[in-house]
Amino acid sequence: MCCANDSASPEARPRASPPEVIWPETSARPPEKRRGCLGTGPGGSDPSSPAPCTMATLSVKPSQRYRLPDWHTNSYLLSTNAERQRDASHQIRQEARVLRNETTNQTIWDEHDNRTRLAERIDTVNRWKEMLDKCLMDLDAEIDALTQMRESAEQSLQAKNLPLDVAIECLTLRDSRRDIDVVKDPVEEELHKEVEVIDATKKALQQKISQAFEKLCLLQEVRQQLNSDHRGKMETLDIDRGCLSLNLKSPNISLKVDPTRVPSGSSTLKQWDDFSQFNKNRAEAEMKGAIELREAIALTIAETNNQLEAQRVATEFAFRKRLREMEKVYSELKWQEKNTLEEIAELQEDIRHLEEGLRRKLLNLKLCHTRLESRTYRPNVELCRDQAQYGLTDEVHQLEATIAALKQKLAQAQDALDALYKHLARLQADIACKANSMLLDTKCLDTRRKLTVPAEKFVPEVDTFTRTTNRTLSPLKSCQLELA
C-alpha cells in the first residue's frame, strides 16, 4: 500500500529541470522501479508459481524519485541562473546604450567636422580662384598692352620705309649727276649716314618685335595654363558647394560602389598648392618680363623717333594725307572686326546656354536612371513592367535623343565659333596688311609726286575710286600717253 500512496502523491510527479542545471555529485541515484509480485491470480503471468503474492499489483508505471536536497539545489540553481542571465542582459543593455550614444555623438561630430573641412576647403579654393582671377585680369591687360606696343613697334618699323626710300632715291638721283658735279660732298655723306641710321633703327625695332612676339607666345601659353587651372577651381567649387549643401534629407543621396577608392591621377595637397603657386609665379614672372620688354620697346621707339625726326618732318603732310585716304578701308575692316567680335560673344553666350541645357538634361537622365535602378529592387511579383516602368524607359530614350541632339548642336556651334575665330584672324591679318599698304602706297605716291612737284607746294586731290591723284599732265606726258 505504500507504493500506491506514493504514486498517488502530487510530489511524486517528476519536474523537468532546465538544461543549464548541473546536478551535484552528492545526489543519490533515483530509486529503482519496484517490481510487482507474481501470483496465480488473474494478474499473474506464471500460474506455476509456488506461492501467491499478498501485495496489490500496480496499475501504472511508478515515476522517478529525487531527494529533498536535490529539489532545493535545483531551485537554487534556477534562481542563480536567472539572476546571472538578468545581470548579463542588463550589462548588454547598458553597453548598447553607451555604444549607441557614443556612435551617435561620433557620427554627429564627424559630419560636423567634415562639413567644416568642406567649408574651409571651399574658402581655400575660392581664395585661389580670386587670385587666379586677378592674375588673369592682369595677364590679359599685359597681353593687350604688349600687343599694342608690338603693333606700335611694327608701325614704327613700317614707318621707316619711307625715309629709307627717300634717302635711297636721293642717292640714286644724285648718281645721275654728270662731269664735275659728281662729287662726294657733305650732302652725300649725310645721306649715307642717314641710310645707316635707318638700317640700325630697323634692326633694333625688328629685334624688339621678335622678342615681343616670343613673349606674347609665352604669355598666351601661361594664360591657357591659368585658364585651365581657373576652370578646374570653378568646377571644384561647384562640386564642393554641392556636397556642402547635402544633408540627411537630400533626395539624391545613395550608396555608391567603392566610394573610398583613390581615383587614378589624384594629387596630394602639396602638389595641388604647388601647381597653382607655380602657375601664379610663372605668370607674374612673365608679366614682369613683358613690362620690361614694353619699356625697352618704348625706349627704342622713342630713340628711333628722335633720330629720324628731321626726315619725318619733310614727309609728314603727305603721310597723314594718305592715312586719311586709307582710313575708309581700315574703318570698314575694323567695323567688320567689331561685328565679328559681337557675333562671337553672342555665339559664346548661346554655347553656354546649350551647355547649361545639356547639364540639366544629364541631371534629368540621372534622375530617370536612379528611379529605374531603384524600381528593380521591388520584391517578387511587384517587379512588374507597369506604366511607370514604360514611362521611365521612354523618358530615358527621349532624354538620350535630346542629349545627342544638344551635343550635335553644341558641336556645330563650336565649329561655327572656330570659323568665326579663323575669320577674325583673317580680318586682323588683313587689317595689318592694310596698315602696311598705307605706308607702301604713301611711299609710291610720294615717289611719283616728288619727281615733278615739290612736296611743300603740293596739295593732292585724291580720287576715291582709283586712289590716285587727279592732276593735269604736262604736254610731254600727254603726247607720250597718246603714242602708247
Side-chain angles (χ1 to χ4, degrees):
M1 295 301 290
C2 63
C3 295
N5 291 333
D6 289 340
S7 62
S9 174
E11 296 179 355
R13 297 176 184 176
R15 298 179 61 184
S17 60
E20 65 273 13
V21 175
I22 302 174
W23 294 100
E25 295 180 356
T26 58
S27 300
R29 182 178 297 177
E32 297 180 355
K33 300 178 181 179
R34 297 188 179 185
R35 300 178 180 177
C37 296
L38 299 177
T40 58
S45 61
D46 188 3
S48 64
S49 177
C53 182
T54 60
M55 296 177 66
T57 302
L58 292 175
S59 60
V60 295
K61 186 178 180 180
S63 61
Q64 295 180 352
R65 293 291 186 271
Y66 301 98
R67 294 186 307 170
L68 186 60
D70 296 336
W71 180 82
H72 285 292
T73 300
N74 182 44
S75 299
Y76 174 75
L77 290 175
L78 287 175
S79 299
T80 304
N81 288 333
E83 290 179 359
R84 187 172 65 252
Q85 294 294 335
R86 287 197 303 272
D87 291 340
S89 175
H90 178 74
Q91 182 67 23
I92 291 173
R93 287 191 297 107
Q94 294 301 321
E95 291 176 355
R97 291 178 182 177
V98 171
L99 180 61
R100 187 179 71 250
N101 291 333
E102 289 179 352
T103 54
T104 301
N105 292 332
Q106 183 67 32
T107 301
I108 292 174
W109 277 109
D110 287 345
E111 198 276 336
H112 177 268
D113 292 340
N114 287 324
R115 184 177 292 275
T116 303
R117 293 187 186 101
L118 273 175
E120 292 175 354
R121 183 60 178 170
I122 289 172
D123 292 339
T124 302
V125 176
N126 191 40
R127 285 195 298 270
W128 266 114
K129 184 188 76 70
E130 292 176 354
M131 284 190 289
L132 292 179
D133 284 335
K134 184 179 182 301
C135 194
L136 278 172
M137 292 177 60
D138 296 340
L139 189 61
D140 290 337
E142 185 59 34
I143 288 175
D144 293 339
L146 185 57
T147 302
Q148 293 177 0
M149 185 59 67
R150 189 196 67 174
E151 292 176 354
S152 299
E154 290 176 349
Q155 292 177 0
S156 180
L157 177 62
Q158 294 169 358
K160 302 302 182 292
N161 292 330
L162 183 60
L164 181 61
D165 291 339
V166 170
I168 293 175
E169 181 183 3
C170 292
L171 288 172
T172 303
L173 292 176
R174 289 176 65 83
D175 287 340
S176 301
R177 294 176 297 172
R178 297 176 181 179
D179 298 334
I180 194 65
D181 290 338
V182 183
V183 62
K184 189 175 181 179
D185 53 5
V187 176
E188 185 175 351
E189 293 178 358
E190 292 295 331
L191 285 174
H192 284 292
K193 184 178 178 180
E194 183 180 0
V195 171
E196 292 176 358
V197 171
I198 292 174
D199 288 337
T201 56
K202 289 183 68 175
K203 289 180 180 179
L205 286 173
Q206 185 62 50
Q207 182 181 3
K208 296 303 179 182
I209 290 172
S210 300
Q211 293 177 359
F213 179 77
E214 295 175 357
K215 181 61 68 175
L216 282 173
C217 291
L218 292 175
L219 290 175
Q220 290 292 342
E221 181 182 353
V222 172
R223 188 185 185 283
Q224 290 179 0
Q225 191 69 23
L226 282 177
N227 197 14
S228 177
D229 194 5
H230 183 267
R231 286 197 303 268
K233 295 293 186 295
M234 293 294 293
E235 294 177 3
T236 301
L237 283 176
D238 293 338
I239 293 173
D240 285 348
R241 285 169 179 169
C243 292
L244 186 61
S245 65
L246 293 176
N247 53 40
L248 298 178
K249 297 181 180 180
S250 297
N252 55 344
I253 60 175
S254 62
L255 295 177
K256 309 298 180 183
V257 179
D258 193 12
T260 59
R261 67 187 183 278
V262 178
S264 60
S266 299
S267 60
T268 62
L269 184 61
K270 187 176 184 304
Q271 291 175 345
W272 174 84
D273 189 74
D274 291 342
F275 179 75
S276 298
Q277 188 66 39
F278 173 77
N279 291 333
K280 181 175 178 294
N281 293 338
R282 183 185 177 189
E284 291 176 351
E286 294 296 338
M287 285 189 291
K288 182 179 179 181
I291 292 173
E292 294 176 355
L293 181 58
R294 283 195 297 111
E295 293 175 354
I297 292 174
L299 181 60
T300 302
I301 292 175
E303 290 177 353
T304 56
N305 290 336
N306 292 331
Q307 292 174 0
L308 300 176
E309 182 65 24
Q311 286 75 20
R312 287 200 301 270
V313 171
T315 57
E316 186 180 39
F317 177 79
F319 180 74
R320 289 182 179 178
K321 184 65 177 179
R322 186 58 179 169
L323 287 178
R324 285 195 299 269
E325 294 172 359
M326 297 295 293
E327 277 182 355
K328 293 182 180 180
V329 178
Y330 189 79
S331 299
E332 177 67 21
L333 291 177
K334 293 296 288 184
W335 182 79
Q336 292 292 343
E337 180 186 14
K338 178 182 177 182
N339 290 341
T340 304
L341 289 173
E342 292 176 356
E343 181 63 25
I344 287 174
E346 293 179 359
L347 185 56
Q348 287 176 344
E349 184 67 22
D350 290 340
I351 288 174
R352 284 193 291 270
H353 289 320
L354 282 175
E355 291 175 348
E356 179 66 19
L358 182 61
R359 187 183 66 82
R360 292 180 180 176
K361 296 300 180 297
L362 287 175
L363 291 178
N364 291 334
L365 184 61
K366 290 180 182 178
L367 176 62
C368 290
H369 282 190
T370 303
R371 288 175 175 174
L372 287 172
E373 182 66 21
S374 299
R375 285 174 63 85
T376 57
Y377 296 101
R378 290 175 294 171
N380 301 329
V381 74
E382 296 298 329
L383 187 63
C384 66
R385 295 186 297 274
D386 50 7
Q387 294 298 325
Q389 188 78 11
Y390 290 124
L392 288 173
T393 303
D394 293 339
E395 186 178 358
V396 168
H397 295 326
Q398 180 64 32
L399 284 173
E400 289 175 349
T402 302
I403 289 173
L406 286 175
K407 287 183 178 179
Q408 181 180 5
K409 187 57 65 178
L410 182 60
Q412 294 176 358
Q414 291 288 354
D415 293 339
L417 183 61
D418 293 339
L420 284 176
Y421 274 121
K422 291 179 181 178
H423 187 66
L424 179 62
R426 288 194 294 268
L427 280 177
Q428 292 175 348
D430 196 27
I431 288 173
C433 290
K434 293 297 183 294
N436 187 31
S437 299
M438 292 167 63
L439 296 177
L440 295 177
D441 291 343
T442 302
K443 180 186 66 175
C444 295
L445 184 60
D446 290 339
T447 301
R448 290 191 297 269
R449 287 198 298 262
K450 290 178 182 178
L451 293 175
T452 56
V453 180
E456 62 273 7
K457 297 182 179 180
F458 182 74
V459 180
E461 182 180 355
V462 180
D463 187 357
T464 58
F465 179 74
T466 61
R467 303 297 181 184
T468 58
T469 304
N470 296 328
R471 59 179 182 270
T472 304
L473 297 178
S474 63
L476 179 59
K477 294 290 184 181
S478 299
C479 291
Q480 291 177 354
L481 289 176
E482 289 177 359
L483 292 174

